[in-house]
Amino acid sequence: RIAIPGTNNQTTLFMPASTSTSRGIKIATLATAPAPETPHNDSLPSIASTKSNTSTASSSSNPATPATPTSRLSSLSLGPSIGSSTKSAPSTQSSTTSPIGSLTLLTSSGTPYAFLSASTLTAFRTALAATTIFTRRTSVHTLCVFGAGLQALWHIRLALLLRGPEIHHIHIINRTFERARKLMETIYTSPEWEKLRNSNSKLGFSIVSNDYGEYNRLVKEHVRKADALFCCTCSSIPLFPAEYLTSVEGRRKGRYVSAIGSFRHDMIELHPDILRQAVAPEQHKKHHHKHAERGGVVVVDSLEACLKEAGEVRQAGLGAEQLVEIGELLMVKKASMKAIEGGGEGEVGLKRWLQAGNVIYKSVGLGLMDICVGEDLVMLARERGFGTMVEGF
């Protein structure tokens, strides 16, 4: 893959790949999200979700009433009551950070046969890979999602499709409230989400944005309580302090942490200390404080690409021996060997770690995934009569 920097903090990626039946190249332009402003330390409510039985009149007549911390999806109001019960600072978001581009597919002999938009394709295939380990987790009661773009949308959608009845809380944390509100509006009003939002009466959503008071306290609380963290931003600074997860209190609970937003060495979502602790050898002695199991490695989509491009991996100073590709992990071989070499229990310990331990997954994107998913999408489109055929091309 080749990365070409552009203006306005944009980068265009050229990602060629091939399978036994197709060749192809994805060209995608992505932007780096601006660093968040310092959260205001005022009395504005930090959770921007309200119950639908709160009318506009009652909200405006008592504007100091804080918004409900978690509202049931079936009773979430996205109408005027939100605007009247919360105050939002002006949005600093000038452009989308979602990928823009295309995927071109060719036959094995080089004949072009399909041309697809890369935006939804990229978000879907990224979330598909990230939820591979998520499906194996023992507990998925509470999710914390950083970001509110297409990546965040597809991570939430696939999580609900795969483990919906077990998920009770989804906390969305975003730089600006408006984009998170639009995501919630899609979830709550789109016919495509109707089955998901009606299938679990216990499911609740909340929104935290940088321009609300008590931002730091709420982020710490949500991160600590989360069973799974999905980081879906193009951030250039860590999304939260390392100690939220590396301290004694932060290590009591096992979590699945997926960081898929940063794709350059100068971009970072997770503090390097989080990765350093994840790969540090276990001290084989009695611990005074109980903590969740570590695997000794960080899971990646591509060893070569992450060593070269992933900001978290590079800034943490990790080497190839401290990373394991998700494909190898699923085949168990390399990961089991690493566990045994570290004094672990091999496959038994590996399974326990994947199900309940602290697992970090770092992704920068694989062209091969685009080709494989693209092939299947074209096949489905042909079967269902979608798309436009260009004869004699």
Side-chain angles (χ1 to χ4, degrees):
R1 62 193 259 160
I2 300 173
I4 300 179
T7 58
N8 299 323
N9 289 323
Q10 292 181 326
T11 298
T12 299
L13 301 176
F14 295 79
M15 304 169 65
S18 64
T19 67
S20 59
T21 56
S22 294
R23 300 174 185 176
I25 181 168
K26 187 178 82 171
I27 303 174
T29 298
L30 305 97
T32 305
E37 300 173 355
T38 303
H40 300 293
N41 185 19
D42 53 29
S43 59
L44 290 177
S46 299
I47 304 293
S49 58
T50 59
K51 291 185 178 180
S52 59
N53 58 8
T54 303
S55 66
T56 305
S58 63
S59 297
S60 58
S61 63
N62 188 14
T65 302
T68 307
T70 303
S71 60
R72 298 301 181 195
L73 182 59
S74 59
S75 61
L76 180 66
S77 171
L78 291 167
S81 59
I82 281 186
S84 56
S85 64
T86 62
K87 291 173 59 181
S88 174
S91 173
T92 58
Q93 183 139 348
S94 58
S95 62
T96 179
T97 55
S98 297
I100 302 171
S102 63
L103 171 67
T104 302
L105 295 176
L106 305 92
T107 64
S108 56
S109 61
T111 302
Y113 72 87
F115 187 74
L116 300 85
S117 171
S119 297
T120 301
L121 171 72
T122 300
F124 171 69
R125 66 91 157 129
T126 304
L128 195 65
T131 51
T132 301
I133 297 176
F134 173 78
T135 60
R136 289 163 168 75
R137 300 295 292 180
T138 301
S139 176
V140 294
H141 183 272
T142 302
L143 310 186
C144 183
V145 181
F146 284 88
L150 271 178
Q151 295 281 14
L153 180 148
W154 275 103
H155 278 74
I156 294 171
R157 183 169 178 81
L158 289 186
L160 291 175
L161 283 168
L162 295 167
R163 302 288 294 273
E166 302 165 72
I167 301 172
H168 291 179
H169 307 288
I170 298 180
H171 303 297
I172 300 172
I173 302 174
N174 196 54
R175 290 184 302 109
T176 59
F177 168 72
E178 181 58 24
R179 196 174 191 189
R181 186 197 66 79
K182 289 179 179 179
L183 173 59
M184 282 305 307
E185 187 172 9
T186 297
I187 294 173
Y188 186 64
T189 64
S190 172
E192 296 177 356
W193 288 77
E194 182 176 5
K195 185 176 180 180
L196 288 175
R197 64 175 176 257
N198 293 335
S199 62
N200 183 358
S201 61
K202 296 181 179 180
L203 179 61
F205 282 81
S206 71
I207 298 172
V208 182
S209 62
N210 187 67
D211 44 17
Y212 289 102
E214 299 189 70
Y215 174 85
N216 292 329
R217 179 186 67 80
L218 286 162
V219 170
K220 181 177 181 179
E221 179 180 308
H222 292 335
V223 167
R224 287 271 178 88
K225 289 183 177 180
D227 297 299
L229 290 168
F230 292 126
C231 302
C232 308
T233 76
C234 297
S235 181
S236 57
I237 60 174
L239 297 174
F240 53 87
E243 66 93 17
Y244 288 6
L245 297 183
T246 59
S247 65
V248 171
E249 184 63 30
R251 297 172 65 195
R252 292 184 189 278
K253 181 186 179 81
R255 298 174 190 83
Y256 172 55
V257 181
S258 170
I260 58 85
S262 61
F263 55 91
R264 295 199 315 244
H265 64 85
D266 59 341
M267 298 166 66
I268 186 168
E269 295 182 292
L270 300 177
H271 193 287
D273 286 349
I274 297 174
L275 277 71
R276 294 189 187 108
Q277 185 184 80
V279 302
E282 287 279 10
Q283 300 298 318
H284 298 289
K285 60 182 181 180
K286 184 177 180 180
H287 292 276
H288 179 67
H289 299 286
K290 183 179 180 181
H291 59 76
E293 189 169 354
R294 302 197 308 263
V297 293
V298 171
V299 185
V300 297
D301 58 347
S302 167
L303 186 68
E304 180 181 0
C306 283
L307 284 171
K308 181 180 179 181
E309 301 170 6
E312 290 91 347
V313 172
R314 290 171 60 94
Q315 293 185 40
L318 304 190
E321 71 282 358
Q322 295 165 311
L323 308 176
V324 58
E325 289 188 347
I326 190 170
E328 293 178 297
L329 183 69
L330 297 178
M331 291 188 294
V332 175
K333 297 178 182 178
K334 182 178 178 179
S336 294
M337 291 176 61
K338 283 182 177 292
I340 294 173
E341 290 170 1
E345 303 170 275
E347 190 171 340
V348 175
L350 174 66
K351 183 178 180 180
R352 187 171 61 243
W353 168 59
L354 287 175
Q355 290 179 339
N358 281 314
V359 181
I360 297 176
Y361 171 66
K362 175 60 199 168
S363 167
V364 294
L366 268 180
L368 182 60
M369 290 184 186
D370 296 305
I371 303 299
C372 293
V373 173
E375 285 181 318
D376 286 346
L377 288 176
V378 171
M379 180 184 68
L380 288 171
R382 286 172 172 169
E383 291 175 354
R384 301 180 183 185
F386 290 106
T388 302
M389 291 291 296
V390 180
E391 300 294 343
F393 181 78

